[in-house]
Amino acid sequence: MDTTSVWRATATGAGFAMLQADVQCDVLVVGGGITGVTTALLLAQQGRKVVLLEADEIGGGTTGHSTGNLYVTTTDGISSVQSTWDETVAREVVQQRKAAIDFIEQQCRDLPNAHFTRCPLVLWSRDLDGNADVESEQQALAQLGCLARLDEAGVRPGLPQPRGPVMVLEDQAQFQPQAYTLALAQRAAKAGASLHEHSRVIELDAKARVATTATGSVKAAEIVLATHSPKGVHLVHAEMPVHREYVVAFEMGATDPGPGIFWWSGEQGLSIRTLAHEGRRYVIAAGPEQKVGVHNAKASLLAVETLATQMLQPGPTRHRWSAQNYRSHHGLPYIGRDHSGCFIATGFSTDGLTWGTVAARLLAAEISGQPDAFGKRCEPGRFTPAKGASTLVEENLTTASTLVKDYLTRPQHEHLSSLAPGDSAIVEAGGETFAAYRAPDGELFAVSPVCTHMGCKVRWNSVETSWDCPCHGSRFRPDGTVAEGPALVPLHRKHVQLG
Ligand SMILES: Cc1cc2nc3c(=O)[nH]c(=O)nc-3n(C[C@H](O)[C@H](O)[C@H](O)COP(=O)(O)OP(=O)(O)OC[C@H]3O[C@@H](n4cnc5c(N)ncnc54)[C@H](O)[C@@H]3O)c2cc1C
Ligand code: FES
């Protein structure tokens, strides 16, 4: 299935050369999403010698598979930050996120392709018992000085109609995240940073501060792991549940709700936005999150497409894609130096276009010796005086049960030779277990099903055609190479004897 996002389809690539030398620098940034590119730009503007290594293409990771919305609150609500922490922390979150959006707006002044637009965020609930959450979010935001009100007029035509209160938060924004990140990368290069695409870090010696790719290496005074989930084994992995979300972009139907971030919340809700590109209008819908490796990918995508078709009555489907989010413990991201000695920036949930920009600003300030006080709140090894720890316990039970169950579950008995084109299976043959996939052209791939990060067993993802690890979200292509997540090493490729 083609899973090119509307952002990737409508932005032109950067074309940075692959790293082909052994180089030294002040700061190595690993990862060319919004976090890494913004960090590289800010550090280069400070006069630092910066190298950025991107495994694939700039902006082509989660940033280019997001929904491109920018808001001062968070997906779980500022009211949840306030109840988990307190009003001071909630106020700081709003201030930091507002400053990041203003920074993005400033960067976009001469970037028409980034399509930065100020717009409202509209929140309403699908479930009757969610109505109280809408009201408490409005109250919390208003108390923090945000322009949040309850709107008696309901929601705009073309959207699923409410059965309760509707909150409107004015002066939020949306943009084209891939085009923005590409433009910032060009700007970072102009400021003196060396950026390299198709330069995957395959070995990382955090102590010696050396990162190695297939064609070169970088030795740096400091390393920033801006890889969404930090590469290698980090303590934060134990605290971060990983979820996947499915997104569909349709051509606009007869009724266009206009610019806006429309959160129709609830268990089966949708996050909806619109987009204008070269005379075409799109409506984009993202569905609820699913735990990585323990859901049916095709069914989840179909559910979003069906619900959006029923509720939005759009034109034809143009793009389908999915992406992963890493949720932090207690609502604040992890930004700063961790036990590995590297700087990390992760735990953004689905709010990371803004959190990634906050992270870049905090990291650049810290590396230049002028740390921001909010950085202390986000330290990866922080002591968490927040109230209640049930979420973490529940989520960790999933990981623990996956680890245990995987080794107790007997693999499916299939014959490799009988695997049809497009099929996948965990196969036991000759005393060995294979994660096997036969490509539509008949080529058979067989790899070890044991994740190289920390040893959980991978599961098939039928939408992305990948082996996904339910524990910390590493994903591998059918040939075993790493697609995303904390793993550095590919799944072991197995020699197959048919018969
Ligand atoms: C469906 C969905 C919708 C979302 N919508 C929004 C939204 O509307 N608003 C919002 O604020 N947030 C949103 N988010 C969250 C947001 O997209 C992410 O938090 C954010 O893009 C993370 O940016 P990043 O730069 O940290 O990571 P990424 O964009 O994932 O960048 C990391 C980069 O690191 C590279 N990399 C990985 N390993 C290596 C390696 N070994 N060597 C070199 N490079 C490597 C990857 O190729 C990738 O390009 C959404 C998330 C999802 C899942
Ligand atoms: S991602 Fe950690 S064990 Fe697989």
Side-chain angles (χ1 to χ4, degrees):
M1 182 183 298
D2 181 359
T3 53
T4 310
S5 70
V6 69
W7 318 117
R8 300 206 68 194
T10 56
T12 33
F16 291 109
M18 188 186 283
L19 177 74
Q20 278 180 322
D22 298 327
V23 298
Q24 297 206 357
C25 63
D26 298 329
V27 185
L28 165 65
V29 178
V30 186
I34 195 167
T35 310
V37 167
T38 313
T39 307
L41 171 67
L42 293 175
L43 289 169
Q45 286 175 338
Q46 285 173 13
R48 300 288 169 139
K49 190 175 176 199
V50 180
V51 174
L52 182 147
L53 298 179
E54 164 53 45
D56 295 308
E57 289 177 3
I58 296 289
T62 320
T63 299
H65 292 88
S66 66
T67 39
N69 292 320
L70 305 167
Y71 37 85
V72 296
T73 183
T74 63
T75 313
D76 288 341
I78 205 69
S79 48
S80 111
V81 175
Q82 191 156 325
S83 59
T84 308
W85 296 85
D86 56 29
E87 193 185 319
T88 307
V89 176
R91 193 173 294 278
E92 288 172 4
V93 165
V94 166
Q95 282 166 352
Q96 288 286 334
R97 290 178 61 83
K98 181 179 181 313
I101 298 170
D102 292 347
F103 169 90
I104 294 172
E105 181 172 31
Q106 221 173 5
Q107 295 295 324
C108 287
R109 287 235 158 96
D110 50 353
L111 298 178
N113 291 345
H115 293 288
F116 183 95
T117 314
R118 285 282 174 182
C119 64
L121 183 157
V122 184
L123 171 73
W124 69 104
S125 177
R126 176 185 163 84
D127 312 322
L128 285 175
D129 57 2
N131 290 339
D133 297 343
V134 175
E135 281 172 354
S136 55
E137 179 66 357
Q138 185 270 331
Q139 279 162 15
L141 283 165
Q143 200 180 333
L144 296 171
C146 302
L147 294 172
R149 61 187 161 80
L150 292 179
D151 194 339
E152 301 291 321
V155 298
R156 293 182 204 158
L159 295 167
Q161 292 304 303
R163 287 192 287 166
V166 176
M167 184 202 77
V168 179
L169 174 62
E170 299 292 357
D171 209 23
Q172 307 307 295
Q174 50 197 192
F175 70 155
Q176 211 292 22
Q178 173 101 12
Y180 171 78
T181 307
L182 286 166
L184 249 57
Q186 309 280 13
R187 217 163 259 179
K190 265 200 191 141
S194 303
L195 289 85
H196 300 279
E197 292 181 303
H198 306 290
S199 302
R200 177 177 293 279
V201 171
I202 51 175
E203 237 180 272
L204 184 67
D205 185 338
K207 236 183 185 170
R209 304 262 206 277
V210 178
T212 309
T213 71
T215 51
S217 70
V218 182
K219 179 160 176 55
E222 296 289 4
I223 296 180
V224 176
L225 295 177
T227 47
H228 204 199
S229 175
K231 290 281 155 184
V233 176
H234 296 260
L235 294 176
V236 292
H237 289 137
E239 296 192 344
M240 286 196 301
V242 195
H243 293 90
R244 210 155 180 88
E245 285 176 61
Y246 295 85
V247 190
V248 183
F250 305 88
E251 263 187 48
M252 186 64 73
T255 315
D256 182 345
I261 304 166
F262 305 111
W263 284 352
W264 180 39
S265 72
E267 251 180 38
Q268 296 295 315
L270 293 172
S271 160
I272 303 158
R273 66 161 287 183
T274 57
L275 167 74
H277 181 78
E278 291 181 348
R280 241 187 202 177
R281 290 211 40 95
Y282 297 88
V283 59
I284 300 167
E289 57 185 27
Q290 311 286 346
K291 280 189 180 167
V292 168
V294 289
H295 67 278
N296 181 326
K298 275 199 178 138
S300 303
L301 176 61
L302 186 66
V304 175
E305 194 163 344
T306 306
L307 183 63
T309 302
Q310 278 167 4
M311 304 309 298
L312 306 173
Q313 300 186 346
T317 302
R318 290 293 173 222
H319 301 275
R320 301 177 177 93
W321 68 93
S322 71
Q324 216 152 273
N325 77 66
Y326 301 82
R327 191 174 293 280
S328 78
H329 182 30
H330 289 323
L332 292 184
Y334 303 104
I335 302 165
R337 198 190 293 280
D338 81 348
H339 72 281
S340 71
C342 298
F343 290 97
I344 65 167
T346 190
F348 297 155
S349 186
T350 41
D351 309 315
L353 298 174
T354 302
W355 276 136
T357 307
V358 170
R361 288 157 60 88
L362 292 178
L363 292 175
E366 189 166 343
I367 290 170
S368 69
Q370 293 175 319
D372 185 296
F374 187 68
K376 267 253 162 273
R377 295 246 187 254
C378 300
E379 277 178 348
R382 65 189 177 230
F383 166 68
T384 312
K387 308 151 197 167
S390 57
T391 317
L392 178 67
V393 173
E394 279 161 29
E395 294 288 354
N396 276 353
L397 282 177
T398 309
T399 301
S401 70
T402 304
L403 273 164
V404 175
K405 209 163 59 188
D406 281 345
Y407 288 104
L408 298 180
T409 308
R410 280 189 66 73
Q412 201 175 316
H413 284 269
E414 280 260 1
H415 289 294
L416 282 172
S417 54
S418 64
L419 213 56
D423 275 359
S424 67
I426 300 288
V427 179
E428 217 175 56
E432 277 198 276
T433 309
F434 301 85
Y437 169 68
R438 192 182 290 282
D441 67 3
E443 189 179 358
L444 183 64
F445 295 94
V447 293
S448 160
V450 179
C451 175
T452 57
H453 180 232
M454 289 173 75
C456 290
K457 258 197 197 155
V458 296
R459 315 275 175 83
W460 185 243
N461 176 334
S462 54
V463 167
E464 299 289 349
T465 323
S466 61
W467 293 104
D468 296 3
C469 179
C471 288
H472 315 107
S474 289
R475 294 182 45 246
F476 304 86
R477 300 186 185 90
D479 65 359
T481 51
V482 179
E484 74 171 299
L488 274 162
V489 177
L491 293 177
H492 179 59
R493 189 90 188 249
K494 294 213 172 190
H495 178 68
V496 183
Q497 270 186 330
L498 296 179

